[in-house]
Amino acid sequence: MKAFWDYLFKEWFRQVGEALLVAFLVTTFLFTTVGVVGQSMYPTLRNGERVLVPKWETWLVRLGFREWRRGEIAILKPPEGTPFATARFPVLGFSFRAFFIKRIVAVPGDEVYVERGVVYVNGRPLEETHITDQISPWPDSFPGVCYKDGDMTRIITQQGDFPVDLLPPYLKPLKTMLLPPSEGVLARSRFEEACEVGRIKLKPGYYFVMGDNRTLGGSEDSRTFGPVPVEAIAGRASYVWWPPFVREEGRVRLNLRPLAPPPAYR
């Protein structure tokens, strides 16, 4: 019996354990891959593609040697309670918070807002031709903020109209980052409720993320759940490695490509 257990340990448990340990170290400290599910990053990424995520960059950020940059594509966990952020595990059936893949539009210290489909960062409209050359963004605005007698009453997002005293937990950090209202809205609020497109000043450690698919309902992002903390970002999508070839318009083309920030963010 002892010989049997020695054989089982040496020929199976140890080999499997070593393989699992190596896989754990590689995916934790070197790199991992993530599959794209859905169309929220279209036209940059398509459903079913897989991207390479260098995990050493995540550790450099956590240790303070690097920061995530505008235009990078982040793999992140949306805040708990975010609508439609849970997925169901196949077969076993339990639910979990899925990872999202979004582009970092603004970084800590930036002032950001969206007006009629155009993203403004530090007062400058972003010329996102990597999007607008292929799709027409929906002319939405974010964040909508309303005031009465100088006090904030409501915040309007992609998902709805929230009274300030009933904000869901994932939107409470957004409230603390809103800049004071304009003088015109402040004056009108003395007579009636007045609303405007608010300005967000990102606090240290917070990022504003958006999907590239800016069509109506195309992406659930910071316009839904507000800015995300750096702890929520698990890594950066750096390269599309699968599938290596795709067929378009009857022709086969190479699909391998790096995911560098577009010119608008440089």
Side-chain angles (χ1 to χ4, degrees):
M1 181 63 70
K2 183 177 182 300
F4 170 76
W5 285 111
D6 287 343
Y7 169 82
L8 198 63
F9 173 77
K10 292 178 181 178
E11 300 299 328
W12 197 86
F13 287 124
R14 188 175 67 181
Q15 293 183 22
V16 171
E18 289 173 351
L20 291 175
L21 178 60
V22 170
F24 170 78
L25 293 174
V26 168
T27 57
T28 301
F29 297 103
L30 296 181
F31 66 89
T32 188
T33 68
V34 172
V36 179
V37 179
Q39 301 290 343
S40 72
M41 279 299 294
Y42 179 84
T44 304
L45 296 172
R46 291 171 171 79
N47 182 48
E49 292 184 324
R50 295 195 69 86
V51 296
L52 188 69
V53 181
K55 293 299 291 185
W56 68 82
E57 293 183 350
T58 306
W59 288 103
L60 290 176
V61 171
R62 291 176 180 173
L63 294 172
F65 296 110
R66 187 190 191 279
E67 294 181 349
W68 302 120
R69 304 182 181 94
R70 296 186 200 94
E72 292 180 334
I73 297 176
I75 312 298
L76 61 99
K77 281 266 187 168
E80 191 166 353
T82 298
F84 312 115
T86 57
R88 193 164 292 277
F89 197 86
V91 182
L92 298 180
F94 62 84
S95 59
F96 62 96
R97 250 189 321 148
F99 280 97
F100 282 8
I101 182 164
K102 308 293 176 185
R103 191 179 298 281
I104 296 174
V105 171
V107 299
D110 283 346
E111 182 181 318
V112 59
Y113 63 95
V114 183
E115 188 164 20
R116 297 192 60 78
V118 178
V119 181
Y120 291 80
V121 177
N122 298 325
R124 181 177 65 89
L126 296 182
E127 297 182 7
E128 297 180 288
T129 54
H130 62 287
I131 298 172
T132 56
D133 283 352
Q134 299 188 55
I135 61 175
S136 298
W138 181 256
D140 64 339
S141 298
F142 178 86
V145 190
C146 301
Y147 297 86
K148 182 69 174 69
D149 293 326
D151 295 324
M152 190 185 304
T153 56
R154 295 184 290 138
I155 295 178
I156 303 168
T157 74
Q158 274 191 338
Q159 291 296 328
D161 188 331
F162 298 92
V164 168
D165 56 351
L166 295 177
L167 281 179
Y170 58 85
L171 284 179
K172 289 182 178 178
L174 168 65
K175 179 177 179 291
T176 67
M177 297 183 227
L178 289 170
L179 293 175
S182 63
E183 291 297 328
V185 162
L186 197 59
R188 293 204 311 275
S189 76
R190 305 299 180 189
F191 304 97
E192 60 182 359
E193 186 181 53
C195 303
E196 68 175 357
V197 179
R199 280 22 175 197
I200 302 168
K201 180 77 170 181
L202 292 173
K203 295 196 301 187
Y206 278 84
Y207 295 79
F208 194 89
V209 299
M210 295 178 69
D212 283 358
N213 187 348
R214 308 286 172 77
T215 59
L216 180 62
S219 172
E220 186 176 11
D221 47 43
S222 283
R223 293 170 295 173
T224 295
F225 47 74
V228 296
V230 64
E231 295 83 7
I233 299 178
R236 174 183 72 94
S238 65
Y239 199 87
V240 176
W241 69 273
W242 188 265
F245 299 94
V246 294
R247 180 180 294 276
E248 288 183 352
E249 299 178 355
R251 300 169 56 185
V252 175
R253 67 166 177 84
L254 185 67
N255 192 48
L256 306 177
R257 61 192 189 277
L259 295 170
Y265 299 95
R266 299 173 193 167

